[in-house]
Amino acid sequence: MIAENLFDLFQRYLELAYDGEQHLLKELPKLIEVVSSSHLREGWERSLELTKIHIERLEQIFSRMDRAAATETNHAIRALTNETEKLIKHIDRSPLLDTALIVVNNEIAHNKIVLYGVLASLARLQGMRQISPQLELSLADEKSTDAEFTEMAVSTVNPEAVGFQNSPHGVVII
Ligand SMILES: [Fe+2]
């Protein structure tokens, strides 16, 4: 039985968020390593710091609930980070790769916006007055990250990718 009541559902989403954030803590440095745009690099460095804060917030919430911090595998986020690995493998380090990585970055942000949105709402409904503001803060962070990366894509990163031609790995073009 996955959930018998709203509290069980709340805990399940909390565990999915915790797993997603933990996973991103390992994945974000890979993006920082391959990114070409310095703005984007700084954006991902800020995301990495926020991810650490979000993990701490989730751990505080588990502890307020008198539960050990636990994870439920977040398959959606893992599928998206598999996609980033594929992109990194098949597209040269370039504005084109940056553009592709922002798309996946924002898909990941949307997953977290849904999770923190439902968590904040369920916490409010269940009268968890010390917990819901923490979740609202993380929700606001995820929304502003999404907006910030969209703005970077539209204003600088995507235009730089116009006209870029990726060369297949291992093929030397003379
Ligand atoms: Fe986060």
Side-chain angles (χ1 to χ4, degrees), residues 17 21 24 47 50-52 54-55 112 116 138 141-142 145:
E21 298 284 18
L24 290 172
S47 285
L50 274 178
T51 300
K52 291 176 189 165
H54 293 176
I55 287 172
K112 289 187 291 165
Y116 284 119
S138 294
D141 289 339
E142 300 294 356
T145 297

Side-chain angles (χ1 to χ4, degrees), residues 10-67:
F10 176 81
Q11 183 152 322
R12 179 175 174 79
Y13 294 133
L14 206 58
E15 291 173 2
L16 284 169
Y18 191 54
D19 181 76
E21 298 284 18
Q22 295 273 13
H23 186 62
L24 290 172
L25 196 60
K26 285 182 271 171
E27 296 296 318
L28 281 168
K30 297 180 189 171
L31 301 184
I32 292 168
E33 200 184 312
V34 298
V35 69
S36 300
S37 154
S38 58
H39 291 300
L40 203 49
R41 180 176 304 109
E42 286 162 18
W44 273 318
E45 283 166 351
R46 283 194 296 277
S47 285
L48 187 58
E49 291 314 304
L50 274 178
T51 300
K52 291 176 189 165
I53 293 170
H54 293 176
I55 287 172
E56 278 171 26
R57 277 192 197 131
L58 290 168
E59 286 170 350
Q60 285 164 7
I61 292 170
F62 279 114
S63 125
R64 278 187 198 283
M65 292 164 58
D66 278 328
R67 307 269 162 139

